[in-house]
Amino acid sequence: MNCRLFSFHFVVAFLFAAQMPAQAPAAVPVQKAAADAHPSLVVATVKPHDPNSQHQGINARGDRFTVLNQSVASMMLFAYAIHPKQIIDAPDWMLHDRWDIEAKIDTPAEPSLRQMQEMMQRLLADRFQLHFTREKRELPVYAIRVAKGGPKLTPAAHPDHEADQTANGHGTDLTQIYTSATIADFILGMQFFVPDRPMVDQTGLTGRYDIRLRYTPDESRTTDPNAPPGLFTAIQQQLGLKLEPVKVPIDVFKIDHVERPGEN
């Protein structure tokens, strides 16, 4: 398997990219949206996902914004860069019902991650009537900290570039490559590979880095003595960081109201 996990700028696509549908290239090249722009979705068609389709993903290309086979909860994970454990009091359908969305962006310029998140936040509020209360609760998390001996991180070759990530899977091991990534970007990419609890940054590191991490996601599935280590060991050996289980106050999103959208 060779997949681009974040189609650009850390789209939280590790949930999605393995089955992203092929898309034709834009007829004309598009420029990146201005950093201070706030593009909007002017047309949005929301339908229940076709169970016969295996396509899934979140993607923006040209003036098109596409969501395939996503629950309201997974759209929230993308929109707010949160872990599933941070969503509370959600009705069951919000977690399990799947939706397809086809929308038009009011500008053909390629949006950044932050702009895509803004558009998704507004779409959830407008079409799903999503309202929540954000509050602090003490939850079990993994604190990412500098390990003994110090970090083993390579300064980014192009620190002025947007953060990006690709991944290559071979057999039972996975290699993730981050470029121009902050620790926050690294956490955004990694925390969903650790499903039991969110990750928080306690490294104190403020730079941008080029990161290569090779590990075995499920050590029980391999008998290869030369296989790379599991995730926790790989992070410590290869990056000079460590994940430690702790309990700290963290933002949670308490669902106050959400509705299924009407038929389009």
Side-chain angles (χ1 to χ4, degrees):
M1 177 182 69
N2 185 333
C3 64
R4 186 174 178 82
L5 295 189
F6 301 145
S7 56
F8 51 83
H9 315 326
F10 273 95
V11 175
V12 190
F14 52 86
L15 294 173
F16 322 124
Q19 300 183 64
M20 281 294 293
Q23 301 204 19
V28 292
V30 296
Q31 296 180 339
K32 294 185 184 299
D36 59 352
H38 298 279
S40 297
L41 300 177
V42 293
V43 178
T45 301
V46 183
K47 297 179 179 179
H49 177 66
D50 179 357
N52 295 316
S53 171
Q54 297 301 309
H55 291 154
Q56 56 181 348
I58 296 176
N59 193 30
R61 183 169 302 197
D63 64 350
R64 310 306 298 178
F65 185 81
T66 305
V67 177
L68 296 175
N69 194 18
Q70 300 305 314
S71 66
V72 175
S74 66
M75 286 185 267
M76 279 190 71
L77 305 188
F78 171 80
Y80 295 98
I82 58 175
H83 188 276
K85 297 290 187 181
Q86 292 173 262
I87 299 175
I88 60 175
D89 292 349
D92 186 70
W93 73 265
M94 179 180 160
L95 304 176
H96 300 293
D97 287 10
R98 299 282 172 162
W99 306 91
D100 292 341
I101 301 171
E102 295 286 344
K104 184 175 181 180
I105 307 173
D106 62 1
T107 173
E110 181 181 291
S112 68
L113 167 64
R114 300 293 173 245
Q115 290 162 338
M116 287 182 68
Q117 289 176 305
E118 286 182 7
M119 289 189 289
M120 182 69 84
Q121 290 170 14
R122 289 193 292 269
L123 185 147
L124 287 169
D126 293 342
R127 300 304 303 271
F128 293 88
Q129 299 300 304
L130 175 66
H131 300 280
F132 57 82
T133 301
R134 192 182 305 209
E135 58 187 56
K136 292 281 188 182
R137 292 194 183 182
E138 189 173 77
L139 293 180
V141 304
Y142 287 116
I144 184 167
R145 298 169 174 168
V146 175
K148 184 178 180 180
K152 304 175 183 177
L153 298 172
T154 303
H158 302 285
D160 56 328
H161 289 188
E162 291 279 356
D164 202 4
Q165 181 189 1
T166 58
N168 297 281
H170 299 283
T172 57
D173 67 83
L174 181 67
T175 299
Q176 296 194 40
I177 301 171
Y178 297 76
T179 57
S180 190
T182 64
I183 296 300
D185 293 328
F186 177 69
I187 287 175
L188 176 58
M190 290 301 304
Q191 69 174 350
F192 296 97
F193 290 98
V194 186
D196 58 323
R197 59 180 72 192
M199 295 171 62
V200 297
D201 179 15
Q202 293 186 357
T203 65
L205 300 172
T206 59
R208 287 184 173 270
Y209 307 97
D210 291 338
I211 298 171
R212 183 183 182 89
L213 181 66
R214 181 171 178 255
Y215 64 98
T216 300
D218 185 353
E219 294 176 278
S220 68
R221 295 181 58 192
T222 181
T223 57
D224 181 0
N226 298 315
L231 176 61
F232 284 50
T233 301
I235 286 177
Q236 185 159 343
Q237 291 180 348
Q238 299 169 28
L239 307 182
L241 305 175
K242 60 182 178 179
L243 297 180
E244 296 189 339
V246 296
K247 292 185 74 172
V248 299
I250 190 173
D251 282 342
V252 297
F253 291 64
K254 181 179 180 294
I255 305 303
D256 299 318
H257 183 80
V258 64
E259 297 178 7
R260 291 183 175 89
E263 290 293 330
N264 295 106

